[in-house]
Amino acid sequence: MLIPELIERKRNGAELSPQELHGLLEAFQSGQLADYQMSAFLMAVYFQGLSRAELDTMTRAMIGSGTRLSFQDDGRPPAVDKHSTGGVGDKVSLVLAPLLAEYGLRVPMMSGRGLGHTGGTVDKLESIPGFRTGLDLDEFRSVLDEVGCAMIRQTPEIAPLDGRLYALRDVTATVESVPLIAASIISKKVAEGIEALVLDVKFGRGAFMTEPESALELARTLVELAGSEGLHATALLTAMDEPLGVKVGNALEVREALECLEGGGPADLREVTLELCADVAVAAGVATRGEAWESMAGILDDGGARERFGRLVVAQGGDQGTLDDPDGLPSAPERLTYESPVDGMVAAADARRIGLAALVLGAGRRHVEDDVDPAVGLEVLCRVGDVVERGQPLVMIHARSEEDAAAATSRVETAIEILDEPPEEPAPLVWKRVTEDGVTDWTPDDA
Ligand code: URA
């Protein structure tokens, strides 16, 4: 069948057969189908969605487009990973990978860079002087063998078809499609060769999916799709109305991750990290939730996870001195405090607007090829529900210049909302859990 006919059928809502869809994707990979045709196809999928069978075919084509690693059947502990749909101040991976490794699981983690108002693990790690995220696959395996975890950026060998499709989606307004997101995420995780995956699907003002119900649909699709590819997955739906933790910005977030790795740091960061870690241990079949949670909380408190992180940093070329004295991390020359203009209660610390303030400072990127400034960012010193007084510091801005600080301040002013009455109850930090068995509400007994 001719390519324009396939695009037309998808546009009109028909289901393509596995042969047709596979053929179309293969033609794109081999250069016989032009970018403009694939862009039209992606827009058709954006509006018409994909059937379950089409989603499976697309995911398999993406997995099969490159190398598929395997860490199974080598007699060693299960290999696991985490994926977050992206947020502001989300430095969970920096704590989770060494924590799980110290617990006894293996974590071959491939992460992304920040884009738009959200941060990325790769940028955070690269703010540590010398840290190399661009390891080849042999180096990746060898760090994993030596340390129990390895943290790298996406390599061209893993699901290269996703890389090409994502580049088109990024410039054709077709990123926000549940099936396309699901195929993109799960293909990379399956090709990574892991046995269990935990997904942190965020909802709220600073999330990719602002509506909880859309986030739930995405979580369900991700867990189901992973399951049909033989990957045990579980998802937590977590709130992203305000930033996670206090610090937003690359080196600032490394500092906060170090605090958490030493048993301290903000309570929300510790809670989300432990919840995700316990869930992936359950998905890997190595413990019950309660056992995993208790034992990993202990590993944070006794310094084991911090020590493991140090080994990871050194194995990937990072500077030992910076770990011994985190003041060696990049820091910005200008500091400016945003103070509360009135007495009242904090009704919002809008994560999206805070993320955009960080972007204005240079902590994030507008286009994939942009550089980021590791030193700049913000510390959000208030949380929704706090009672504050006029003149109280609410946000500390770390900037490269006074002009940048002023530009970020005007964003911060719109992010922080102070009311003279109690605000609405914020969404629970962990809302629901999605497993292969279905959806359950999270309750405090889960912790
Ligand atoms: N992250 C991915 O890896 N792919 C998407 O499509 C969206 C977010």
Side-chain angles (χ1 to χ4, degrees):
M1 181 165 289
L2 292 172
I3 298 292
E5 281 176 49
L6 293 178
I7 300 172
E8 183 186 326
R9 284 188 38 223
K10 186 77 245 172
R11 185 200 67 192
N12 294 343
E15 180 178 7
L16 302 189
S17 72
Q19 293 75 10
E20 287 169 332
L21 182 52
H22 200 267
L24 183 112
L25 293 167
E26 224 169 39
F28 176 61
Q29 250 196 304
S30 64
Q32 289 160 333
L33 187 145
D35 283 0
Y36 49 80
Q37 290 173 303
M38 183 48 81
S39 301
F41 178 76
L42 291 168
M43 188 58 86
V45 173
Y46 177 90
F47 283 112
Q48 298 293 353
L50 290 176
S51 70
R52 239 351 275 257
E54 287 176 321
L55 182 56
D56 287 341
T57 303
M58 183 151 191
T59 309
R60 280 179 201 152
M62 285 156 116
I63 298 167
S65 68
T67 305
R68 183 167 177 170
L69 303 177
S70 175
F71 296 104
Q72 301 181 18
D73 306 324
D74 61 2
R76 286 192 262 173
V80 304
D81 196 3
K82 180 216 73 150
H83 178 88
S84 157
T85 56
V88 178
D90 181 1
K91 66 281 290 173
V92 166
S93 292
L94 305 188
V95 184
L96 172 141
L99 175 54
L100 289 171
E102 184 68 15
Y103 176 71
L105 292 166
R106 284 185 296 166
V107 191
M109 186 179 275
M110 290 187 192
S111 308
R113 295 191 179 280
L115 195 59
H117 72 281
T118 64
T121 300
V122 166
D123 296 325
K124 292 169 206 189
L125 289 168
E126 287 182 354
S127 73
I128 301 170
F131 195 102
R132 290 172 56 227
T133 61
L135 306 186
D136 65 32
L137 290 179
D138 286 340
E139 291 174 305
F140 182 49
R141 282 194 195 89
S142 120
V143 173
L144 184 67
D145 285 348
E146 184 193 329
V147 185
C149 57
M151 300 179 80
I152 62 168
R153 58 184 186 239
Q154 212 58 54
T155 78
E157 292 96 334
I158 301 291
L161 177 56
D162 170 61
R164 287 196 57 206
L165 290 175
Y166 193 86
L168 286 184
R169 288 167 58 208
D170 195 28
V171 292
T172 56
T174 49
V175 170
E176 293 91 345
S177 145
V178 167
L180 293 178
I181 295 172
S184 166
I185 293 173
I186 298 303
S187 62
K188 284 179 289 205
K189 294 299 172 189
V190 169
E192 217 178 76
I194 52 171
E195 275 170 63
L197 171 69
V198 63
L199 296 145
D200 183 2
V201 180
K202 300 201 173 288
F203 62 92
R205 295 169 185 249
F208 204 31
M209 300 273 170
T210 51
E211 292 309 315
E213 293 306 326
S214 324
L216 181 57
E217 187 201 342
L218 176 61
R220 274 203 181 109
T221 309
L222 287 164
V223 169
E224 253 179 61
L225 182 61
S228 62
E229 292 306 318
L231 172 58
H232 296 297
T234 171
L236 284 182
L237 286 131
T238 68
M240 183 34 74
D241 281 319
E242 49 191 335
L244 189 66
V246 171
K247 296 181 169 70
V248 178
N250 300 300
L252 285 166
E253 292 192 41
V254 172
R255 284 170 201 262
E256 193 161 85
L258 287 169
E259 290 167 21
C260 188
L261 283 162
E262 287 165 2
D268 59 345
L269 172 61
R270 180 178 164 107
E271 184 182 335
V272 170
T273 306
L274 284 172
E275 290 293 325
L276 293 164
C277 285
D279 271 11
V280 83
V282 173
V286 297
T288 64
R289 280 203 91 255
E291 283 160 9
W293 202 100
E294 284 296 320
S295 129
M296 287 196 250
I299 293 171
L300 284 179
D301 295 334
D302 71 14
R306 169 69 169 83
E307 194 263 338
R308 188 70 68 147
F309 184 66
R311 284 171 54 196
L312 169 75
V313 168
V314 171
Q316 294 198 213
D319 177 41
Q320 173 74 56
T322 308
L323 284 173
D324 297 340
D325 176 11
D327 285 343
L329 284 164
S331 72
E334 296 295 332
R335 305 271 161 96
L336 190 105
T337 309
Y338 173 71
E339 296 171 352
S340 180
V342 288
D343 292 343
M345 289 180 88
V346 179
D350 188 309
R352 176 174 293 267
R353 291 180 177 175
I354 301 281
L356 289 171
L359 182 69
V360 162
L361 288 166
R365 54 172 68 73
R366 290 186 172 83
H367 304 288
V368 249
E369 65 279 4
D370 292 349
D371 285 331
V372 298
D373 185 335
V376 299
L378 307 104
E379 288 177 79
V380 182
L381 308 169
C382 59
R383 303 216 43 99
V384 170
D386 285 358
V387 176
V388 294
E389 288 174 7
R390 183 162 185 254
Q392 181 175 329
L394 298 183
V395 179
M396 167 79 85
I397 297 166
H398 297 244
R400 196 45 68 193
S401 67
E402 282 179 25
E403 298 76 56
D404 287 356
T409 305
S410 49
R411 300 265 173 181
V412 167
E413 274 165 5
T414 65
I416 308 288
E417 199 185 327
I418 313 281
L419 297 180
D420 53 13
E421 59 195 48
E424 264 177 49
E425 189 68 24
L429 184 58
V430 184
W431 178 47
K432 283 182 192 291
R433 169 176 295 117
V434 181
T435 67
E436 288 163 356
D437 298 329
V439 182
T440 46
D441 283 334
W442 182 90
T443 69
D445 292 344
D446 291 347

CSV table of all heavy atoms in Angstrom, one decimal, residues 83 166 169 175 180-181 184-185 188 208, ligand 1:
chain,number,residue,atom,x,y,z
A,83,HIS,N,11.6,5.7,36.0
A,83,HIS,CA,11.4,6.8,35.0
A,83,HIS,C,10.4,7.8,35.6
A,83,HIS,O,9.3,7.4,36.1
A,83,HIS,CB,10.8,6.3,33.7
A,83,HIS,CG,10.6,7.4,32.7
A,83,HIS,ND1,11.5,7.9,31.8
A,83,HIS,CD2,9.5,8.2,32.4
A,83,HIS,CE1,11.1,8.8,31.1
A,83,HIS,NE2,9.8,9.1,31.5
A,166,TYR,N,11.1,11.3,18.2
A,166,TYR,CA,10.9,12.3,19.3
A,166,TYR,C,11.4,13.7,18.7
A,166,TYR,O,10.7,14.7,19.0
A,166,TYR,CB,11.7,12.0,20.5
A,166,TYR,CG,11.3,12.9,21.7
A,166,TYR,CD1,10.2,12.6,22.5
A,166,TYR,CD2,11.9,14.1,21.9
A,166,TYR,CE1,9.8,13.4,23.5
A,166,TYR,CE2,11.5,15.0,22.9
A,166,TYR,CZ,10.4,14.6,23.7
A,166,TYR,OH,10.0,15.5,24.6
A,169,ARG,N,8.5,14.9,16.8
A,169,ARG,CA,7.3,15.3,17.7
A,169,ARG,C,7.6,16.6,18.4
A,169,ARG,O,6.7,17.4,18.6
A,169,ARG,CB,7.1,14.2,18.8
A,169,ARG,CG,6.6,12.9,18.2
A,169,ARG,CD,6.7,11.8,19.2
A,169,ARG,NE,6.0,12.1,20.4
A,169,ARG,CZ,6.3,11.5,21.6
A,169,ARG,NH1,7.3,10.7,21.7
A,169,ARG,NH2,5.6,11.9,22.7
A,175,VAL,N,4.0,15.9,21.0
A,175,VAL,CA,4.6,15.2,22.1
A,175,VAL,C,3.5,14.7,23.0
A,175,VAL,O,3.5,13.6,23.5
A,175,VAL,CB,5.6,16.2,22.9
A,175,VAL,CG1,6.0,15.5,24.2
A,175,VAL,CG2,6.8,16.4,22.1
A,180,LEU,N,2.0,7.8,22.1
A,180,LEU,CA,3.3,8.1,21.6
A,180,LEU,C,4.3,8.2,22.8
A,180,LEU,O,5.5,7.8,22.7
A,180,LEU,CB,3.3,9.4,20.8
A,180,LEU,CG,2.6,9.3,19.4
A,180,LEU,CD1,2.6,10.6,18.7
A,180,LEU,CD2,3.2,8.2,18.6
A,181,ILE,N,3.9,8.8,23.9
A,181,ILE,CA,4.7,8.9,25.1
A,181,ILE,C,5.0,7.5,25.6
A,181,ILE,O,6.1,7.2,26.0
A,181,ILE,CB,4.0,9.8,26.2
A,181,ILE,CG1,3.9,11.2,25.8
A,181,ILE,CG2,4.9,9.7,27.5
A,181,ILE,CD1,3.0,12.1,26.7
A,184,SER,N,7.4,5.6,23.5
A,184,SER,CA,8.8,6.2,23.6
A,184,SER,C,9.4,5.7,24.9
A,184,SER,O,10.6,5.3,24.9
A,184,SER,CB,8.6,7.7,23.5
A,184,SER,OG,9.7,8.4,23.9
A,185,ILE,N,8.7,5.9,26.0
A,185,ILE,CA,9.3,5.5,27.3
A,185,ILE,C,9.6,4.0,27.4
A,185,ILE,O,10.7,3.6,27.8
A,185,ILE,CB,8.4,6.0,28.5
A,185,ILE,CG1,8.4,7.5,28.5
A,185,ILE,CG2,8.9,5.5,29.8
A,185,ILE,CD1,7.4,8.1,29.5
A,188,LYS,N,12.5,2.4,25.3
A,188,LYS,CA,13.8,2.6,25.8
A,188,LYS,C,14.1,1.7,27.1
A,188,LYS,O,15.2,1.2,27.2
A,188,LYS,CB,14.0,4.1,26.2
A,188,LYS,CG,14.2,4.9,24.9
A,188,LYS,CD,14.3,6.4,25.2
A,188,LYS,CE,13.0,7.0,25.7
A,188,LYS,NZ,12.9,8.4,25.5
A,208,PHE,N,3.8,17.6,33.2
A,208,PHE,CA,3.5,17.4,31.8
A,208,PHE,C,2.0,17.2,31.6
A,208,PHE,O,1.4,17.8,30.7
A,208,PHE,CB,4.2,16.1,31.4
A,208,PHE,CG,4.6,15.9,30.1
A,208,PHE,CD1,4.9,16.9,29.2
A,208,PHE,CD2,4.7,14.6,29.6
A,208,PHE,CE1,5.3,16.6,27.9
A,208,PHE,CE2,5.0,14.3,28.3
A,208,PHE,CZ,5.4,15.3,27.5
B,1,URA,N1,9.8,11.2,27.7
B,1,URA,C1,10.2,10.3,26.8
B,1,URA,O1,11.1,9.6,26.9
B,1,URA,N2,9.4,10.3,25.7
B,1,URA,C2,8.3,11.1,25.5
B,1,URA,O2,7.6,10.9,24.5
B,1,URA,C3,7.9,12.0,26.5
B,1,URA,C4,8.7,12.0,27.6
